[in-house]
Amino acid sequence: MYKLSKYNYFVEYNQRIICFNGLTGIIFSVSKEEYKQLIILWDDLVLFHIQYNSVFNRFKEWGFIVDDEINEIDFVKFKNKQSVFLDRLYRLIIIPTEECVFNCWYCFNHQDGTGHMQKDVQNRIKKHIKFMIEKEKITGLFLDWFGGEPLMCFDKVVYPIAKFALEQSEQHRLPYRHHITTNAYLITPEMVRKMKEIKLNSFQITIDGDEKRHNAIRNVNGRPSFARIMENIELLCESMTDIQIILRLNYDEKTLLISDMKKVFTQIPEKYRQSIFLDFQRVWQTIKKDKQVNNPIRQDLYKYCNSIGYNPILTSSFQIGRSLRCYADRFYHTVINFNGKIYRCAANMKAEDGFMNENGIIEWNHKSLVQMFGNSTFENNKCLNCKHLPICVGPCIQKTKNKNKEIECVLNGAEITPEQFVIGIYEQTCIKK
């Protein structure tokens, strides 16, 4: 016997019906008349199977129809456990300093004060990388720099550790990825030359609106930064053929209303736009508890940027093929602060999650690990009964760590509805092709 998948979506779009399955990611559209016929066929799956066997099997292959004894939630749980525990690509986030050249009002403050990473911590990190490669047998290394502003320590911390990590990865023939979250203000041609040497070719760079709006928020003791950051983005694109930049727009309601963002994104030469992924993110302090959906300015900006050659990120709330909420939800993931303190998440550094000894081996707080990894983040009634589970997979580990706290639904902070997400995916794939 068979049943319809609980994760089917049918969304009206330009006189057609988009058919989408959240578990498999299959998406296509049919006319309204064809959809009426499908409803009739789906009403009696046994008859559908007998009369239109090949069509029935295609819908089964696409995940819209499933065997009656299959529990689709178990499939979501299984994919999650695979991603959390079996993916041995090691993402190591290093914070060389918590200091920054800017003083943005919304930046979260860490608890460990000021200072730059000293040699003893650097040496322990090198031992840790060697230990993870040779003893833990990781399948790849993803070196990731965060801050503060990590480029304040580029020559003294970033470059020597990255050079060592690259050498170790190449020596053991391991895949190596290298990323940095930076405001891009301090980048120079000489720094770019060294970045190419250590294969630092992935960046997240943030702007806060058009030039006037950005400079009011991001400045160096009043000195503007927008023009210099945009020039450095072009410098990176000119210098690296394999570059990838996530250009993040931090915004609130005022930013979208008063900033001419179309002009900003048009000024970046078209030849570089395929290397730039635009990410529109609301400043977290301005997210309201009620649903933040159907922001027309954001939606219009997304469509415009898509039309002029960028790769805009539709939303961070939903994703096809998702198996976990955040990369920090993976077991093979560590954050090391400038003072050597160990954490699981760079956005939550209130209490240490472990200790790195002189040999570079991390001794984890097992109570903390059990709280985070004992259950999947979505193992609660609200998530397990939700139609959107496969494209959402619940909150992150940090938000579910406290078992006594009520689970905060991801939809409460989403800028678009799941149905708008389906339409966006359809426009990205079917219409754009």
Side-chain angles (χ1 to χ4, degrees):
M1 297 293 290
Y2 300 97
K3 60 185 177 184
L4 291 177
S5 169
K6 63 188 296 181
Y7 302 123
N8 290 337
Y9 294 77
F10 304 103
V11 183
E12 188 169 344
Y13 175 83
N14 289 350
Q15 301 303 310
R16 294 181 69 80
I17 303 296
I18 300 173
C19 304
F20 171 72
N21 182 267
L23 204 53
T24 63
I26 297 295
I27 190 167
F28 60 92
S29 72
V30 295
S31 68
K32 288 188 174 181
E33 284 302 314
E34 290 169 328
Y35 179 62
K36 288 179 182 177
Q37 294 301 313
L38 284 175
I39 291 175
I40 295 172
L41 292 171
W42 288 333
D43 191 51
D44 189 339
L45 294 179
V46 174
L47 189 61
F48 182 18
H49 191 196
I50 294 171
Q51 291 185 336
Y52 303 100
N53 182 262
S54 61
V55 179
F56 179 93
N57 287 334
R58 183 58 60 88
F59 275 98
K60 186 182 175 189
E61 176 188 337
W62 290 341
F64 288 83
I65 298 172
V66 296
D67 290 322
D68 200 38
E69 68 272 12
I70 287 179
N71 186 338
E72 292 176 288
I73 292 177
D74 287 342
F75 186 73
V76 178
K77 291 179 181 179
F78 179 66
K79 282 176 58 182
N80 172 260
K81 285 180 170 59
Q82 283 183 309
S83 297
V84 171
F85 298 111
L86 296 185
D87 184 358
R88 297 174 70 90
L89 170 65
Y90 187 46
R91 186 164 186 161
L92 178 60
I93 294 182
I94 303 175
I95 301 174
T97 180
E98 292 183 356
E99 298 174 16
C100 186
V101 291
F102 300 150
N103 187 27
C104 305
W105 68 268
Y106 53 75
C107 186
F108 53 81
N109 294 316
H110 295 309
Q111 307 297 313
D112 293 331
T114 59
H116 294 189
M117 184 175 287
Q118 300 302 306
K119 283 288 186 182
D120 64 314
V121 178
Q122 294 182 46
N123 290 334
R124 275 188 281 159
I125 289 175
K126 290 178 180 178
K127 291 178 182 178
H128 176 67
I129 291 171
K130 194 172 179 64
F131 171 79
M132 294 302 293
I133 291 175
E134 295 181 352
K135 303 298 182 182
E136 283 290 322
K137 303 297 181 182
I138 57 174
T139 57
L141 178 62
F142 187 168
L143 191 59
D144 191 350
W145 301 95
F146 196 66
E149 175 46 55
L151 292 184
M152 293 176 72
C153 305
F154 181 78
D155 286 322
K156 291 185 177 180
V157 181
V158 174
Y159 181 79
I161 290 178
K163 188 174 182 182
F164 176 83
L166 176 60
E167 290 170 351
Q168 288 294 308
S169 297
E170 290 180 339
Q171 179 182 330
H172 293 84
R173 299 181 179 179
L174 282 180
Y176 177 79
R177 294 173 62 188
H178 200 179
H179 177 80
I180 187 168
T181 298
T182 172
N183 58 45
Y185 183 78
L186 298 174
I187 291 175
T188 64
E190 173 60 19
M191 190 180 288
V192 172
R193 185 192 67 77
K194 289 185 175 181
M195 287 174 172
K196 292 173 67 175
E197 184 182 333
I198 56 177
K199 294 186 178 181
L200 177 50
N201 58 5
S202 177
F203 300 79
Q204 178 174 296
I205 300 169
T206 301
I207 56 176
D208 285 72
D210 61 12
E211 187 163 10
K212 183 178 180 180
R213 175 68 171 165
H214 172 97
N215 286 336
I217 298 172
R218 292 192 166 222
N219 55 76
V220 184
N221 298 321
R223 296 197 305 274
S225 66
F226 183 85
R228 185 165 170 177
I229 290 171
M230 297 301 285
E231 288 171 4
N232 283 337
I233 289 173
E234 288 198 37
L235 172 63
L236 289 170
C237 291
E238 285 173 6
S239 306
M240 301 182 189
T241 57
D242 56 349
I243 192 168
Q244 176 178 298
I245 296 176
I246 298 174
L247 182 55
R248 175 167 171 160
L249 169 61
N250 278 354
Y251 69 91
D252 53 21
E253 294 299 340
K254 188 176 180 181
T255 300
L256 292 180
L257 285 171
I258 68 176
S259 295
D260 188 354
M261 294 311 303
K262 290 182 179 180
K263 181 181 178 181
V264 171
F265 294 129
T266 303
Q267 78 179 64
I268 296 177
E270 188 173 355
K271 61 182 177 180
Y272 300 140
R273 294 175 192 169
Q274 278 298 307
S275 299
I276 298 176
F277 296 79
L278 300 179
D279 188 13
F280 311 133
Q281 291 285 349
R282 177 180 284 276
V283 176
W284 66 271
Q285 290 95 331
T286 69
I287 297 175
K288 300 176 182 177
K289 289 185 178 180
D290 57 331
K291 293 183 180 181
Q292 299 291 311
V293 298
N294 195 25
N295 188 315
I297 301 176
R298 182 188 186 281
Q299 289 295 93
D300 179 60
L301 184 60
Y302 167 81
K303 290 181 179 180
Y304 175 76
C305 291
N306 195 38
S307 71
I308 62 171
Y310 285 103
N311 292 297
I313 298 171
L314 181 58
T315 176
S316 60
S317 298
F318 313 113
Q319 183 179 313
I320 291 179
R322 192 166 220 155
S323 54
L324 37 77
R325 165 57 49 182
C326 175
Y327 55 78
D329 294 348
R330 296 168 57 256
F331 189 76
Y332 284 89
H333 169 87
T334 301
V335 178
I336 304 179
N337 204 5
F338 75 96
N339 50 18
K341 292 184 178 181
I342 302 298
Y343 303 93
R344 297 294 309 185
C345 174
N348 186 359
M349 298 167 59
K350 294 180 181 179
E352 295 175 66
D353 293 305
F355 169 77
M356 182 170 59
N357 65 29
E358 293 300 318
N359 296 318
I361 300 172
I362 294 177
E363 300 169 11
W364 289 103
N365 180 332
H366 286 282
K367 180 181 177 181
S368 179
L369 292 186
V370 169
Q371 286 178 321
M372 287 187 282
F373 296 107
N375 293 304
S376 297
T377 59
F378 52 80
E379 289 194 54
N380 59 82
N381 289 332
K382 184 184 291 186
C383 290
L384 293 176
N385 292 316
C386 181
K387 174 182 178 177
H388 312 304
L389 178 61
I391 61 173
C392 168
V393 296
C396 70
I397 275 180
Q398 293 296 327
K399 291 182 179 178
T400 58
K401 186 177 178 181
N402 186 347
K403 305 304 178 183
N404 297 320
K405 191 175 180 180
E406 184 180 355
I407 299 298
E408 182 180 329
C409 180
V410 172
L411 270 69
N412 290 345
E415 285 286 294
I416 65 174
T417 65
E419 290 73 22
Q420 289 169 329
F421 169 74
V422 171
I423 291 173
I425 293 297
Y426 181 75
E427 290 175 335
Q428 272 185 349
T429 53
C430 304
I431 298 297
K432 199 167 184 179
K433 286 180 180 179

